[in-house]
Amino acid sequence: MSKLKLVAENSLRDLAHSDGRISLLTQTLLLAFLLTLTLTSGSIQTYLRTNLDQMLGSDMVIESHTPLTDSQIETLQGMAAGTSRTVLTNITLTSGTNWERAQLKIVDSNYPLQGTLQIGQAPSAQQRPVQRGPSEGEIWLDSRLATKLRLKVGDRLNLGEIDLLVAAILFHEPDRILEGHSVAKRAMVHRASLDAVSLDTAKSRTRFLIAADETAQGAIEDWAKKALPAATLTKKYGGQHPLAGFWTRTENFLGLASVILFFLGAVALDMTNRRWLAKMRYRLAIYASFGTSNRTGMLIALGEWLIGFLACVAIACSLAAIAFGLIIQDLQGYFPGLEVGWDSLAALKTIGLVFVLMLTLQLPSFIQLTRASLLSLIRSTSEGNYVWSRLAMGLISVAILAIAYSDNWLLTGMTLTAITIAITVMIILTWAVIRLGDRWGRGKAGLLPFAFFIMRQRLFAKSAQIMGLGLCGLLLLFTLMSMRDFRAMMEGYGRTHDGNLMISEAQENQIEAIHTWAKTTNSSVRSLRPYVSAQLISVNGKSLADYMQKPSDTLATLKDPIRLSWSDTLPANNRLAGGKWWQPEPENWQQISTEPEVMTDMGLRYGDTLTYDISGEAYEFTLVASHAFKPGGGSITFWFQVPATARPHIDAPTRYMGSMELPERAWVALSQLWQQHPTLSLVPLKELTDRFDQTLGIVTKITSGYAGMILILALFVLAASISGFSADDRQKNGLLMSMGLRKSDCLRLNFYDWGLTAFIAAAGAIIGTWMSGELMYQSQFGLTYDPDVLWLISTLLIMIGLVCFVGFAACRHALNSSVRDLLAE
Amino acid sequence: MQNKIELKRISHHFDTSEERIELFHELSHTICSGETLAIVGPSGAGKSSLLSIAAGLEAPSEGTVSFTIDGNQVDTLYMRASSGFIFQQFHLMPELDAIDNLALPLRLKGNKAAYDIAASWLDNIGLKDRARHRPHQLSGGEQQRIAVARAFVSKPQFIFADEPTGNLDARTSASVTSLMFDCALETGCGLVIVTHSKELAACAQKSLRLEAGRLEVAA
Ligand SMILES: Nc1ncnc2c1ncn2[C@@H]1O[C@H](COP(=O)(O)OP(=O)(O)OP(=O)(O)O)[C@@H](O)[C@H]1O
Ligand SMILES: [Mg+2]
């Protein structure tokens, strides 16, 4: 009992001491950070997942132009946890004398599997979420369709012989993103409503929403590749889907952040461990001098450490709870629906992992401690160079824990590889520079040779310090760099989805009205591209019907007029996919470029002649190039583009297509614009873009938050490193001054010391960062690694400067105490 | 009831990269409890090494050391639990005050009355009023008196002291010396002191001189 009390007293006393405080603070911060990270990322993952549900409506989607056979459907249902079959078909809906083409979505009772539909009572009414689609006998229309057909909720509509009730205005479906920025008017019915009619399903698409776990998804994917070669497959996670890709990158970034936090924490702890070991060694030796056995001594040391850890858990938990609450509260302002999810299991797991981490980091010190001997009090014994065991032990244990924590082996492996390379470089550099410097300085007088000599004497301690600082620099630099690039990438994403209102058709005389309206409502016109309506009538002189019999979506679309746009240079959101962009000469105006998918579907080749009917006249163009969509310059891209020089030759009215970004207040004012120009065709994409913006916003905030955490922890490493070595430095300085060295010389000597330390650490950091970028960018973030050398170097210079400055300041402070004080140590 | 340390034909040397440092060769001696012994000799002769071998901290290169406590032969671990040390550098715990330092050995042994015993010892050594002072607030002599008391407080069978007065002036040395010998007499434990001080050595019942690898009874 009294021993236990002694242990507790010792721990408390240590915590009151600056060394103990730094150690406790580091542990607490690390744990608090990891806890906050676990809790927030848990909440955010839940949020993002529901957000993703809202974009795909399921885990996985299979879409096919040919209907699946009954046995195929059976197989699919056998493999999945749940399925929902949707058929999409284009039909013409009529109501009185009004008629309109629309895309009809025929759903079953399971639709949607995940997420919610947004519906309302009138086009301008409040939206409300519902879990299921329309029931039998009902039809839901989107607002534009309802307006065109002059139908209200409660009216009836005939579809063939079937009489349907217009039950709701449809605003958003969770699988809407699969249609991209399609501007087709939409309607939705339950499949049971259509049993009596046979719709022409030749051109329809069948879409299966599938709920399945990861293994089942893999099995379905394999099966679909063989059984349904023509079907397209979209997955929520890890698929080709742009959002899924984005999600994977975000998860990877978060994973990397926690791995980096682990490493930084380990470095900081290692630095404080040195002092801890010295102190405990002394304490145990004294205990031994009055007959305490080694076992008791070790138990006491363990107990003290444990109490320290418990104190740190207590503080860290409360800190993390506060931070988590605040972060979520802040985020809730932007993202309603984000919840404070106390995942106590995850929190416990984190605490457990940190416990194991700290214990393993402490292990080499404990082993050293068992060798603590009373003999050291009688005569000075060598401390033993345990840098290597410590390094190896630390690296291995942290690596294992990081892998356990991050569950992305590849990413962690890459981080480790980069770190190992950086450490190797630093070790080699340290030894080479210091040894060579010492050899060079041998027999020479002066301060620099002397600085080398002293560093050579303390090679092991010096290596530990350099490695710690270098590792810290590497992690910090890489975090800052990837943060920067990650943010740039996300902004790129934001730009592909720019605008929340699509202008699907505007006439020339309406453009000015749009601009004025935008100005008065604070909206911005993001893009506006001109086009003429043109219909492809023949290819190489053969009429379209003769040229191509194989049915395809592309062919179906080309049977109607399409939008033909013009531009001299390749638009910012396009890249050249093949062929050659046009020659600038005006006489070469009869050239055309199309998208690669159109070429494949239609069997087109460069050099083919395409004939279009534009306003009743035929125009011929030669296919010379193909262009593909590229994110980062607006979302509007055209199937066909011709040189701007072609425009004067074409006699047809110009139409415009584009996008606008409306602030919240502007939406109500939209009706004014519509009233003035009823023919203006606008498609609100608010629901879709809002979700995207939210997701981007939350991720940006979180990544910045993590970078902040890492920065703080890095400062801690610096503080720990300086305080951890200050005793050595003080002793050295005291000795030098007692030998008659002037204070300014002492400062200069320290300056050389710190400068060299910072230089080698910086070199390691740069090389490690470079390696990490090369290794990780492409595979983990889908980014091309294009390091900004100037930025890297200037960031690094700031870091070196900071290290030198802080080290220098600490040394000045130490020198201000008198020689007597220094020697009294 | 006999406690003793028997050194039988012990030799000790250190191997460094360049040469072998021979300290002594085939020394034999028996140290008994209730006896005070001083070891003197020139610097570097190996006195501290001999002391740590006798205390069981180090094994000799050759020869055997056997410990007998209460009539039974015991191992070094048991021996360690029954011995106390006094150092040249005092080695008090810097973060503990005087009474805490004194109570420490007792508390480690689970003694409930640790603070009462420590207080009476503090009174004995005349530092009652300095109970709440930390080592850096005490003079060297005061620190060493506390260190001496700390070594005796847990009633060990043997006390080993390496240059206990090496850091003290003559007057303070005398007070620490008398304190040590008085305590040894009172508790009946064996006291082994390594010293340069003739005055200190003269107080011991027996004085050995270690020089050039040989141990002789000093005059
Ligand atoms: N670990 C070691 N490695 C090599 N030589 C050692 C070691 N420890 C002690 N020595 C050498 O052994 C010799 C005896 O050391 P010891 O400390 O026993 O001397 P001492 O008689 O106590 O001297 P002093 O009176 O100066 O304290 C010295 O020459 C010392 O250099
Ligand atoms: Mg000695």
Side-chain angles (χ1 to χ4, degrees):
Chain A
M1 198 57 225
S2 79
K3 251 182 247 175
L4 219 67
K5 205 166 146 238
L6 180 70
V7 169
E9 267 175 37
N10 274 348
S11 314
L12 275 181
R13 211 174 288 114
D14 284 351
L15 294 186
H17 216 254
S18 85
D19 267 344
R21 267 200 304 247
I22 284 192
S23 163
L24 177 84
L25 221 57
T26 316
Q27 295 191 24
T28 307
L29 268 184
L30 178 66
L31 184 58
F33 284 170
L34 285 172
L35 273 177
T36 315
L37 186 130
T38 309
L39 290 172
T40 23
S41 74
S43 282
I44 285 159
Q45 282 184 11
T46 319
Y47 177 80
L48 284 180
R49 210 168 289 135
T50 43
N51 225 7
L52 271 182
D53 288 348
Q54 209 56 8
M55 289 186 167
L56 207 54
S58 60
D59 292 322
M60 189 180 198
V61 173
I62 289 182
E63 202 171 282
S64 165
H65 286 279
T66 46
L68 273 66
T69 64
D70 286 346
S71 73
Q72 282 171 335
I73 293 174
E74 219 165 274
T75 316
L76 185 60
Q77 281 169 344
M79 284 191 284
T83 58
S84 160
R85 175 153 55 138
T86 310
V87 177
L88 294 134
T89 186
N90 290 321
I91 58 162
T92 305
L93 292 174
T94 52
S95 159
T97 55
N98 305 305
W99 62 272
E100 193 60 43
R101 289 288 289 174
Q103 188 185 64
L104 183 65
K105 196 178 228 169
I106 307 160
V107 300
D108 59 13
S109 310
N110 293 336
Y111 177 86
L113 291 177
Q114 293 162 2
T116 53
L117 293 145
Q118 296 281 342
I119 58 171
Q121 286 303 106
S124 56
Q126 181 80 40
Q127 300 184 11
R128 67 191 153 89
V130 288
Q131 300 292 335
R132 291 284 166 252
S135 351
E136 194 178 338
E138 288 181 0
I139 185 164
W140 292 355
L141 306 174
D142 84 358
S143 52
R144 285 183 306 140
L145 188 58
T147 315
K148 270 271 159 76
L149 295 174
R150 294 172 198 277
L151 285 169
K152 293 189 300 295
V153 172
D155 290 347
R156 306 203 77 88
L157 178 125
N158 285 321
L159 189 70
E161 284 96 67
I162 304 166
D163 179 48
L164 295 167
L165 171 73
V166 179
I169 301 296
L170 173 66
F171 291 106
H172 183 77
E173 327 75 292
D175 55 340
R176 175 78 198 279
I177 199 160
L178 287 168
E179 277 116 75
H181 281 166
S182 154
V183 293
K185 300 181 178 70
R186 295 163 302 136
M188 188 183 280
V189 291
H190 193 279
R191 63 180 307 115
S193 310
L194 301 180
D195 280 346
V197 278
S198 76
L199 288 170
D200 172 23
T201 50
K203 269 189 288 173
S204 65
R205 283 180 286 162
T206 308
R207 181 185 289 170
F208 275 92
L209 302 189
I210 299 162
D213 61 22
E214 218 160 305
T215 40
Q217 280 184 37
I220 293 171
E221 206 175 346
D222 292 339
W223 169 79
K225 250 182 222 149
K226 282 195 217 90
L228 308 165
T232 52
L233 195 136
T234 311
K235 285 198 296 182
K236 185 152 66 177
Y237 305 107
Q240 298 303 305
H241 194 258
L243 248 173
F246 169 79
W247 170 242
T248 320
R249 290 168 204 199
T250 308
E251 272 197 325
N252 282 352
F253 187 85
L254 296 187
L256 187 69
S258 48
V259 173
I260 286 179
L261 275 177
F262 255 112
F263 275 101
L264 263 183
V267 172
L269 284 177
D270 183 72
M271 299 239 172
T272 55
N273 254 354
R274 225 173 83 90
R275 293 288 290 266
W276 180 88
L277 179 63
K279 191 179 66 192
M280 286 316 278
R281 213 185 230 156
Y282 184 65
R283 187 174 288 171
L284 289 202
I286 290 181
Y287 285 3
S289 86
F290 33 77
T292 306
S293 71
N294 268 1
R295 216 181 119 257
T296 315
M298 284 305 291
L299 279 178
I300 286 174
L302 266 169
E304 281 175 24
W305 179 81
L306 204 65
I307 286 180
F309 182 75
L310 288 180
C312 128
V313 169
I315 304 172
C317 279
S318 27
L319 273 182
I322 295 169
F324 176 51
L326 285 178
I327 289 173
I328 295 293
Q329 199 182 35
D330 179 44
L331 291 176
Q332 268 166 347
Y334 303 85
F335 316 113
L338 187 68
E339 274 166 25
V340 181
W342 294 103
D343 191 347
S344 39
L345 192 75
L348 273 179
K349 210 179 119 193
T350 309
I351 293 174
L353 266 169
V354 172
F355 175 76
V356 179
L357 170 80
M358 297 195 179
L359 192 64
T360 33
L361 279 178
Q362 205 73 27
L363 210 60
S365 299
F366 276 128
I367 292 171
Q368 282 293 310
L369 210 52
T370 56
R371 303 202 196 116
S373 154
L374 164 51
L375 216 53
S376 65
L377 299 180
I378 296 177
R379 61 164 176 249
S380 55
T381 48
S382 76
E383 227 180 61
N385 295 320
Y386 75 121
V387 176
W388 299 120
S389 73
R390 211 174 63 189
L391 187 70
M393 195 71 193
L395 215 61
I396 292 168
S397 55
V398 174
I400 292 171
L401 286 166
I403 288 170
Y405 193 84
S406 82
D407 69 32
N408 184 340
W409 287 64
L410 190 64
L411 180 62
T412 313
M414 286 169 173
T415 317
L416 278 174
T417 313
I419 286 177
T420 315
I421 291 173
I423 287 182
T424 317
V425 168
M426 282 187 280
I427 290 175
I428 294 172
L429 264 181
T430 310
W431 284 60
V433 169
I434 293 181
R435 275 179 181 266
L436 284 179
D438 183 41
R439 174 152 313 164
W440 160 82
R442 211 170 283 168
K444 283 197 184 65
L447 278 178
L448 193 59
F450 187 63
F452 274 118
F453 169 73
I454 286 197
M455 274 186 263
R456 165 88 202 271
Q457 298 315 304
R458 303 180 3 188
L459 199 52
F460 275 101
K462 204 78 222 166
S463 313
Q465 189 182 31
I466 287 175
M467 275 186 272
L469 286 175
L471 216 52
C472 171
L474 154 65
L475 297 174
L476 191 62
L477 205 59
F478 184 67
T479 309
L480 292 179
M481 183 180 80
S482 51
M483 262 282 308
R484 217 175 69 109
D485 295 339
F486 199 64
R487 211 180 264 166
M489 177 196 80
M490 289 197 297
E491 272 162 18
Y493 260 119
R495 250 176 273 128
T496 51
H497 289 263
D498 81 338
N500 47 17
L501 181 75
M502 283 273 285
I503 303 167
S504 64
E505 187 183 323
Q507 285 157 23
E508 196 132 35
N509 57 3
Q510 293 164 340
I511 297 302
E512 186 154 336
I514 291 176
H515 279 296
T516 359
W517 182 84
K519 206 170 277 170
T520 54
T521 58
N522 258 330
S523 312
S524 64
V525 178
R526 288 288 170 88
S527 62
L528 212 50
R529 298 273 313 271
Y531 69 89
V532 292
S533 185
Q535 184 167 8
L536 181 65
I537 46 175
S538 63
V539 179
N540 293 334
K542 268 187 178 170
S543 82
L544 197 59
D546 292 340
Y547 173 75
M548 190 33 84
Q549 274 95 27
K550 198 180 88 197
S552 70
D553 240 16
T554 311
L555 183 62
T557 310
L558 289 179
K559 280 176 178 161
D560 292 324
I562 49 90
R563 298 180 171 93
L564 180 67
S565 183
W566 52 87
S567 155
D568 265 343
T569 51
L570 198 62
N573 63 345
N574 283 173
R575 61 181 172 80
L576 193 63
K580 262 165 79 185
W581 200 246
W582 28 79
Q583 277 81 47
E585 293 78 31
E587 63 271 20
N588 291 331
W589 66 272
Q590 280 171 304
Q591 301 177 86
I592 196 163
S593 167
T594 187
E595 294 204 64
E597 287 83 6
V598 178
M599 286 184 74
T600 321
D601 281 358
M602 298 298 294
L604 297 175
R605 250 171 278 246
Y606 298 119
D608 282 353
T609 306
L610 309 181
T611 312
Y612 288 87
D613 176 359
I614 305 172
S615 285
E617 282 205 45
Y619 295 87
E620 282 188 355
F621 296 97
T622 312
L623 184 63
V624 295
S626 63
H627 58 267
F629 177 72
K630 169 181 93 174
S635 53
I636 292 162
T637 181
F638 292 90
W639 277 19
F640 294 99
Q641 303 187 65
V642 295
T645 45
R647 182 65 189 99
H649 298 272
I650 298 170
D651 178 27
T654 303
R655 307 261 186 248
Y656 287 87
M657 187 175 179
S659 64
M660 287 173 85
E661 174 76 26
L662 270 60
E664 202 54 48
R665 284 172 291 106
W667 289 98
V668 280
L670 201 56
S671 56
Q672 294 170 11
L673 188 63
W674 248 323
Q675 265 165 16
Q676 279 169 12
H677 303 279
T679 52
L680 188 61
S681 174
L682 301 171
V683 188
L685 291 172
K686 198 164 170 291
E687 191 70 31
L688 203 64
T689 52
D690 277 3
R691 277 180 196 287
F692 216 98
D693 290 350
Q694 280 175 14
T695 313
L696 290 178
I698 203 167
V699 169
T700 313
K701 262 206 150 166
I702 289 308
T703 45
S704 326
Y706 289 153
M709 284 185 187
I710 287 172
L711 201 72
I712 294 178
L713 213 53
L715 284 177
F716 251 84
V717 173
L718 187 61
S721 134
I722 284 167
S723 100
F725 288 85
S726 72
D728 287 10
D729 283 348
R730 262 216 297 279
Q731 205 175 20
K732 181 190 77 186
N733 287 331
L735 224 61
L736 291 176
M737 273 166 73
S738 74
M739 286 172 353
L741 216 65
R742 270 173 301 142
K743 207 162 136 182
S744 63
D745 288 341
C746 240
L747 276 177
R748 253 201 22 233
L749 208 59
N750 280 287
F751 188 72
Y752 290 141
D753 195 323
W754 277 104
L756 204 66
T757 305
F759 165 74
I760 298 175
I766 279 271
I767 289 166
T769 307
W770 204 283
M771 284 301 307
S772 317
E774 289 286 353
L775 282 172
M776 282 177 224
Y777 263 50
Q778 193 57 51
S779 73
Q780 298 293 311
F781 303 122
L783 294 172
T784 36
Y785 183 55
D786 183 18
D788 184 345
V789 181
L790 203 69
W791 181 86
L792 267 181
I793 292 189
S794 47
T795 313
L796 199 77
L797 282 179
I798 293 174
M799 275 155 58
I800 295 185
L802 191 72
V803 169
C804 281
F805 174 76
V806 178
F808 194 66
C811 157
R812 261 185 89 94
H813 178 76
L815 279 176
N816 282 340
S817 31
S818 71
V819 182
R820 204 196 89 82
D821 278 352
L822 294 170
L823 288 178
E825 276 273 313
Chain B
M1 170 152 160
Q2 176 82 89
N3 301 328
K4 60 181 182 213
I5 302 168
E6 289 166 282
L7 308 174
K8 291 173 210 149
R9 302 164 63 91
I10 56 161
S11 308
H12 203 57
H13 60 248
F14 290 105
D15 285 319
T16 61
S17 51
E18 288 103 39
E19 50 167 353
R20 167 171 287 198
I21 301 171
E22 290 277 359
L23 294 188
F24 38 78
H25 195 67
E26 304 218 332
L27 296 185
S28 296
H29 189 77
T30 303
I31 305 163
C32 298
S33 64
E35 152 189 275
T36 53
L37 170 73
I39 300 171
V40 295
S43 183
K47 304 183 297 292
S48 298
S49 305
L50 182 61
L51 185 81
S52 53
I53 288 171
L57 300 179
E58 261 183 311
S61 311
E62 274 160 56
T64 53
V65 184
S66 68
F67 308 105
T68 312
I69 304 273
D70 295 338
N72 304 318
Q73 184 124 344
V74 298
D75 61 359
T76 49
L77 273 181
Y78 193 94
M79 176 62 193
R80 197 83 55 78
S82 340
S83 31
F85 288 83
I86 301 166
F87 309 98
Q88 182 173 3
Q89 320 285 357
F90 322 140
H91 288 314
L92 295 178
M93 300 291 259
E95 65 269 24
L96 299 184
D97 56 28
I99 191 150
D100 274 331
N101 260 300
L102 258 180
L104 193 57
L106 295 168
R107 297 181 68 193
L108 279 167
K109 293 211 157 90
N111 192 327
K112 291 225 163 53
Y115 280 98
D116 298 334
I117 300 173
S120 75
W121 268 96
L122 214 52
D123 202 8
N124 278 354
I125 60 174
L127 290 174
K128 198 175 162 193
D129 49 336
R130 314 299 297 267
R132 287 289 158 209
H133 287 203
R134 302 245 302 268
H136 67 93
Q137 294 162 310
L138 299 170
S139 75
E142 287 161 345
Q143 285 187 54
Q144 191 64 313
R145 263 146 67 196
I146 293 170
V148 170
R150 185 182 65 177
F152 280 99
V153 77
S154 55
K155 300 203 165 60
Q157 307 296 341
F158 288 95
I159 300 269
F160 301 93
D162 192 4
E163 309 271 11
T165 58
N167 276 3
L168 303 174
D169 63 48
R171 224 169 59 87
T172 332
S173 291
S175 82
V176 169
T177 306
S178 63
L179 178 64
M180 269 192 302
F181 283 99
D182 289 351
C183 290
L185 210 64
E186 212 171 291
T187 58
C189 72
L191 180 61
V192 184
I193 304 175
V194 165
T195 184
H196 279 122
S197 152
K198 286 196 185 71
E199 291 81 6
L200 178 51
C203 295
Q205 295 161 353
K206 212 189 265 178
S207 188
L208 298 176
R209 183 170 187 80
L210 182 65
E211 194 166 6
R214 293 187 335 172
L215 200 59
E216 286 163 358
V217 179

